[in-house]
């Protein structure tokens, strides 16, 4: 084709904060397609996990992802507990879920900020990231760590909540709700955001199934999947919440789904704080895990996280397999890039909410 | 009208932001308030530590080392530059000897300078 130009984006590029290398073919203002290279942040975590004991692995697996670190350790711990045949105290289940929801709020607000920045709405970016601090503050105050919370232990969680902390969580959540509602009002009515995202790179439900895409991207295309409802880990089977879906499948639908999920997560935090039972948060777990296999899935902010664990009866796992939601979303990028305008590339890339560190592991 | 109201709902927040002081802290010139539970520098209660090595076994980052000279002589060393401040040592320790303070550890270009001997026990019989 005439005037075909290939532009490299990444692995270090102002447009893309994630270490991903893209080669995008353009002709004039039209994007013809693209290809990508992965693996810049491959750390060999699955292999490293085989050389450490189950307890050390909790902290290693926390490093799979810098944004949704807690949901990874939660899934891993439930898998180890399934192999051990122990059940953790109900209060620990609720604290795990509370952290998961706070993480979802922080992840979605972070993403919203990135999208807003890419479409040139710096004010929304600043406000989204300001609001996100509240959820990080709660997590830091209760667990002791802002990014790596180290909240999970095999057999429960490593901290309990006292009355003052519970009160602090309730009041921070209530303030955060006011801020988020303000933000949602703006998002839902801001014409500049509509104009930049509506109708951009729509993905059909069929394509979602074809590429096995999960999470908010799938829900924005009308595929009604959410593991918190479909295959719930405790205590989600006892919690009421709405699964947000949208039919359009474009960047706008993804924005709405994530924004409304943030609201839903705030409600869930309230429910969790209301229903949280009293009692212990940690039971003693044996160091040696009986031989066997376990598969546990859970809903991370970006979709399904899958853990496969095989034990040979020793202190170290024989195999830890991690599947993260970003991997399937990445495979869909070339198809999404075909036939869009060059100016829409940031919207498509940001709209996916990539976490390359998760995908590379 | 409703739409217009919604669109300008951020306006009050923006006006507030003009009046309010900045959210950021001018660290290190202003004191940084860290929560009580913050996992900062490692501290030890030397009275309680028996040199059992449970903390060393579960440390994921090789941040602790136990040097045993004889049955009763040992040295527990902490390497802050390797430490992930994960709190596992304090959970693994059955005697609650090791824990986190809520103090930050200073950064350095010379990691060796930060190494601390948490406890050194000489054999009392030998004097
Ligand atoms: S700090 Fe605790 S676990 Fe570590 S050697 Fe001393 S007594 Fe043992
Ligand atoms: S805080 Fe974690 S990394 Fe640091 S010494 Fe303790 S167990 Fe090791």
């Amino acid at each position: 084709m005439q005037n075909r130009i290939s532009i490299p984006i990444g692995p270090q590029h102002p447009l893309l904060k994630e270490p991903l290398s893209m080669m995008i073919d353009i002709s004039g203002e039209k994007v013809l397609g693209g290809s990508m290279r992965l693996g810049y942040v491959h750390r060999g975590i699955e292999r490293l996990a085989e050389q450490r004991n189950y307890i050390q692995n909790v902290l290693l697996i926390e490093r799979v992802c810098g944004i949704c670190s807690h949901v990874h350790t939660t899934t891993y711990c439930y898998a180890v507990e399934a192999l051990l045949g122990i059940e953790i105290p109900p209060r620990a289940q609720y604290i795990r879920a509370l952290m998961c929801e706070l993480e979802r709020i922080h992840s979605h607000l972070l993403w919203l900020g990135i999208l807003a920045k890419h479409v040139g709405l710096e004010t929304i970016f600043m406000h989204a990231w300001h609001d996100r601090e509240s959820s990080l503050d709660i997590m830091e105050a209760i667990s002791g760590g802002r990014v790596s919370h180290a909240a999970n232990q095999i057999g429960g969680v490593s901290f309990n909540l006292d009355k003052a902390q519970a009160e602090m969580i309730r009041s921070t959540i209530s303030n955060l709700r006011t801020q988020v509602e303000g933000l949602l009002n703006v998002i839902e009515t801001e014409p500049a955001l509509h104009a930049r995202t509506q109708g951009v790179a729509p993905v059909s439900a069929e394509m979602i199934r074809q590429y096995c895409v999960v999470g908010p991207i799938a829900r924005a295309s009308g595929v009604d999947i959410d593991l918190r409802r479909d295959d719930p880990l405790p205590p989600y089977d006892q919690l009421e919440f709405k699964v947000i879906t949208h039919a359009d499948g474009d960047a706008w639908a993804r924005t709405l789904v994530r924004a409304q999920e943030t609201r839903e997560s705030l409600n869930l935090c309230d429910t969790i704080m209301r229903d949280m039972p009293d009692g212990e948060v940690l039971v003693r777990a044996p160091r040696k895990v009986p031989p066997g296999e376990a598969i546990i899935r859970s809903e991370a902010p970006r979709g399904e996280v899958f853990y496969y664990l095989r034990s040979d009866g020793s202190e170290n796992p024989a195999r830890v397999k991690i599947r993260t939601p970003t991997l399937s979303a990445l495979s869909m990028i070339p198809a999404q890039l075909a036939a869009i305008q060059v100016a829409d590339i940031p919207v498509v890339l940001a709209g996916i909410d990539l976490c390359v560190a998760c995908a590379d592991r | 009208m409703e739409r217009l109201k919604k669109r300008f709902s951020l306006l009050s927040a923006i006006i507030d932001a003009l009046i309010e002081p900045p959210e950021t802290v001018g660290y290190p010139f202003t004191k940084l308030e860290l929560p009580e539970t913050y996992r900062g520098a490692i501290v030890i209660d030397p009275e309680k530590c028996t040199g059992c090595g449970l903390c060393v076994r579960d440390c994921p980052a090789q941040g602790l080392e136990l040097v045993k000279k004889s049955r009763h002589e040992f040295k527990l060393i902490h390497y802050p530059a390797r430490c992930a401040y994960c709190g596992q040592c304090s959970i693994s320790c059955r005697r609650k000897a090791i824990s986190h303070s809520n103090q930050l550890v200073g950064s350095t270009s010379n990691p060796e300078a930060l190494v601390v001997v948490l406890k050194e026990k000489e054999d009392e019989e030998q004097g």
Side-chain angles (χ1 to χ4, degrees):
Chain A
M1 181 178 286
Q2 251 182 345
N3 295 333
R4 189 186 180 114
I5 302 171
S6 295
I7 45 171
I9 296 183
Q12 285 165 355
H13 193 275
L15 166 67
L16 203 62
K17 303 292 178 286
E18 299 281 342
L20 168 73
S21 170
M22 308 250 347
M23 192 59 93
I24 298 182
D25 298 330
I26 60 169
S27 168
E29 275 303 305
K30 270 216 141 47
V31 178
L32 304 170
S35 59
M36 76 181 106
R37 258 185 78 181
L38 276 171
Y40 292 95
V41 273
H42 176 65
R43 288 147 291 164
I45 287 186
E46 289 180 6
R47 180 83 183 107
L48 287 173
E50 292 166 17
Q51 296 156 5
R52 280 162 174 73
N53 67 34
Y54 284 93
I55 296 172
Q56 291 172 321
N57 277 338
V58 179
L59 303 148
L60 173 67
I61 275 164
E62 188 148 56
R63 270 80 189 164
V64 169
C65 181
I67 301 171
C68 49
S69 54
H70 177 77
V71 77
H72 279 276
T73 55
T74 303
T75 320
Y76 168 79
C77 285
Y78 274 121
V80 179
E81 285 148 12
L83 280 176
L84 286 169
I86 57 173
E87 196 170 320
I88 65 166
R91 190 172 174 84
Q93 296 172 350
Y94 272 77
I95 293 178
R96 279 184 182 176
L98 173 73
M99 293 287 286
C100 280
E101 291 313 313
L102 287 169
E103 200 171 71
R104 197 179 316 279
I105 294 167
H106 123 69
S107 170
H108 282 358
L109 287 176
L110 176 131
W111 169 83
L112 182 63
I114 292 175
L115 179 85
K117 191 164 184 290
H118 281 324
V119 301
L121 296 167
E122 291 269 338
T123 316
I124 296 186
F125 160 67
M126 293 285 180
H127 278 269
W129 280 40
H130 169 266
D131 298 351
R132 162 180 171 261
E133 284 297 307
S134 307
S135 71
L136 286 177
D137 284 345
I138 300 179
M139 288 195 274
E140 185 183 33
I142 60 178
S143 72
R146 202 172 187 77
V147 175
S148 298
H149 317 296
N152 281 315
Q153 287 282 316
I154 294 165
V157 288
S158 50
F159 58 88
N160 204 339
L161 297 178
D162 58 25
K163 276 222 168 69
Q165 283 174 324
E167 202 37 59
M168 179 276 292
I169 296 173
R170 278 193 201 100
S171 70
T172 316
I173 293 280
S174 136
N175 291 343
L176 183 57
R177 186 192 307 281
T178 322
Q179 291 165 340
V180 167
E181 286 299 333
L183 206 56
L184 290 187
N185 275 340
V186 178
I187 293 163
E188 281 163 13
T189 47
E190 175 58 48
L193 192 59
H194 283 211
R196 287 301 309 274
T197 53
Q198 227 153 20
V200 173
V203 176
S204 66
E206 248 149 77
M207 208 162 134
I208 293 285
R209 292 209 180 86
Q210 215 176 346
Y211 285 93
C212 302
V213 175
V214 285
I217 310 176
R219 291 194 284 276
S221 294
V223 181
D224 190 7
I225 46 166
D226 190 326
L227 283 174
R228 291 176 294 168
R229 179 201 58 201
D230 303 337
D231 185 11
L233 288 171
Y236 283 108
D237 45 355
Q238 291 153 33
L239 300 173
E240 285 271 316
F241 62 96
K242 250 196 351 234
V243 176
I244 313 281
T245 55
H246 207 285
D248 294 352
D250 55 359
W252 171 240
R254 282 174 222 150
T255 313
L256 274 188
V257 164
R258 289 202 184 91
Q260 287 164 5
E261 271 181 18
T262 312
R263 182 190 277 146
E264 209 51 44
S265 285
L266 283 166
N267 293 344
L268 258 175
C269 284
D270 274 345
T271 319
I272 290 170
M273 288 311 291
R274 192 193 62 212
D275 296 350
M276 190 180 283
D278 290 330
E280 284 298 304
V281 290
L282 191 61
V283 289
R284 256 201 115 81
R287 295 184 67 89
K288 283 206 171 137
V289 175
E293 292 177 318
I295 289 172
I296 299 281
R297 305 182 297 162
S298 69
E299 186 77 16
R302 292 173 181 73
E304 176 186 318
V305 163
F306 167 101
Y307 271 74
Y308 165 81
L309 211 67
R310 194 173 69 235
S311 165
D312 54 7
S314 69
E315 281 191 15
N316 299 3
R319 178 83 172 102
V320 180
K321 164 74 194 153
I322 310 167
R323 185 191 184 275
T324 61
T326 300
L327 198 61
S328 53
L330 277 170
S331 63
M332 206 174 61
I333 292 183
Q336 269 188 295
L337 283 176
I340 59 163
Q341 300 283 312
V342 171
D344 289 335
I345 297 174
V347 179
V348 169
L349 292 183
I352 291 173
D353 194 9
L354 292 174
C355 178
V356 176
C358 269
D360 281 354
R361 302 186 297 285
Chain B
M1 191 60 209
E2 183 61 20
R3 221 182 138 74
L4 212 63
K5 221 171 93 192
K6 275 187 161 184
R7 252 199 92 187
F8 287 103
S9 58
L10 256 196
L11 206 58
S12 65
I14 292 169
I15 293 167
D16 283 350
L18 285 175
I19 306 162
E20 278 168 8
E23 299 263 344
T24 44
V25 179
Y27 184 79
F29 306 109
T30 320
K31 197 169 178 299
L32 192 63
E33 299 268 341
L34 291 167
E36 274 292 296
T37 45
Y38 185 80
R39 294 193 310 268
I42 297 281
V43 286
I44 200 163
D45 182 346
E47 294 292 302
K48 288 186 186 161
C49 176
T50 56
C52 66
L54 284 179
C55 54
V56 180
R57 184 172 63 169
D58 286 342
C59 173
Q62 292 159 358
L64 292 165
E65 191 188 1
L66 187 70
V67 185
K68 281 233 172 201
K69 283 187 223 149
S70 70
R71 210 157 153 240
H72 299 292
E73 291 175 304
F74 70 89
K75 212 157 112 177
L76 185 63
I77 309 167
H78 180 230
Y79 298 91
R82 291 188 205 158
C83 178
Y85 299 95
C86 63
Q88 187 57 50
C89 47
S90 64
I91 292 163
S92 293
C93 177
R94 300 235 177 106
R95 292 183 176 76
K96 305 225 173 314
I98 195 164
S99 60
H100 288 275
S101 70
N102 69 341
Q103 297 300 310
L104 288 179
V105 181
S107 57
T108 176
S109 55
N110 176 17
E112 291 303 313
L114 292 176
V115 176
V116 275
V117 177
L118 293 175
K119 175 161 181 177
E120 185 162 15
K121 189 168 180 281
E122 303 286 340
D123 199 338
E124 275 130 29
E125 278 161 33
Q126 283 175 15

